Amino acid sequence: MKQPDSIIKLINKFSSLPGVGLKTAQRFAYSVIDMTEAEVNDFCEAMQAVKTNVHLCTECGNFTERDVCDICLKRDKSVICVVAYPKDVLALDKGGSYKGVYHVLHGTLSPLDGRGADDLNIKSLIKRLEGVKEVIMATNPDVEGEATAAYLARLIKPFGIKVTRLAQGISIGSDIEYADEITLERALDGRTEI
């Protein structure tokens, strides 16, 4: 039995999202069908609001609805934790023990994917280094994350700033966003100088 074109289109849209397979996309589509008209409108308005209101913080590159995010406004700017993606900020900040600011690169160095230093949010990081005592490299412990951390350390060290790496405890090949709060807290506390 062929499904109506509208359902097929919705399933295809959902399955185009990262991590959403066909079965999950079908569940999402059928959930939308079961929603009231008001719920569908609220859902659409929420998606539109994100596209309209959310942009990158002018200081750190994290998502915000203002020019500068709350973290950059309220935290200790003498310590910067460098992450690959905004989702990593959420993961690291869950524990509440880190009191510094973040810097989001929006990716890692990946020559195979054609992603070099100019494709990342690195120039604005270098501009933020005045008055900074420490830069923590919190990229994933995979080949690309390690290469990115090493590259940034070589750029930052000539400024006389301490550059550290998260302590081990996050297994190689895993993603920071999936690590539990305790592991991330210990990784932050036990960081080592590069």
Side-chain angles (χ1 to χ4, degrees):
M1 177 179 104
K2 185 178 183 298
Q3 296 185 69
D5 290 341
S6 299
I7 294 175
I8 292 170
K9 184 176 180 181
L10 186 58
I11 290 169
N12 289 336
K13 290 296 179 189
F14 279 129
S15 67
S16 70
L17 296 171
V20 177
L22 184 60
K23 288 190 184 260
T24 300
Q26 288 173 336
R27 280 195 300 276
F28 288 168
Y30 292 133
S31 293
V32 169
I33 293 168
D34 290 338
M35 289 178 178
T36 65
E37 189 82 23
E39 290 171 326
V40 170
N41 289 335
D42 287 346
F43 190 79
C44 292
E45 285 175 21
M47 286 193 294
Q48 194 63 45
V50 165
K51 286 303 292 177
T52 303
N53 301 331
V54 176
H55 56 274
L56 301 180
C57 172
T58 56
E59 289 189 27
C60 71
N62 195 12
F63 295 133
T64 184
E65 290 186 348
R66 294 187 260 171
D67 287 337
V68 179
C69 71
D70 286 340
I71 292 173
C72 287
L73 286 173
K74 299 175 182 175
R75 300 269 192 94
D76 176 9
K77 294 182 185 203
S78 70
V79 182
I80 299 175
C81 183
V82 177
V83 298
Y85 301 101
K87 62 187 175 185
D88 299 331
V89 172
L90 291 174
L92 286 164
D93 223 45
K94 267 193 279 190
S97 64
Y98 178 66
K99 303 300 180 201
V101 294
Y102 294 93
H103 190 84
V104 183
L105 297 172
H106 294 279
T108 52
L109 295 173
S110 178
L112 293 175
D113 294 328
R115 204 168 44 245
D118 291 338
D119 300 314
L120 303 179
N121 188 21
I122 294 174
K123 289 177 185 166
S124 63
L125 171 62
I126 302 305
K127 290 177 184 175
R128 296 179 73 189
L129 295 179
E130 188 176 331
V132 171
K133 297 176 188 167
E134 179 182 5
V135 175
I136 304 166
M137 296 298 154
T139 53
N140 287 328
D142 56 17
V143 174
E144 292 174 357
E146 292 295 332
T148 304
Y151 175 80
L152 291 174
R154 283 193 303 275
L155 286 178
I156 296 167
K157 279 190 167 196
F159 290 91
I161 297 169
K162 181 179 177 182
V163 180
T164 58
R165 186 82 171 114
L166 289 182
Q168 297 306 310
I170 299 172
S171 60
I172 292 176
S174 66
D175 288 344
I176 287 174
E177 72 172 301
Y178 299 118
D180 62 272
E181 294 167 26
I182 295 168
T183 300
L184 288 171
E185 255 181 70
R186 287 184 182 154
L188 276 168
D189 291 342
R191 61 190 179 270
T192 56
E193 193 161 352
I194 297 178

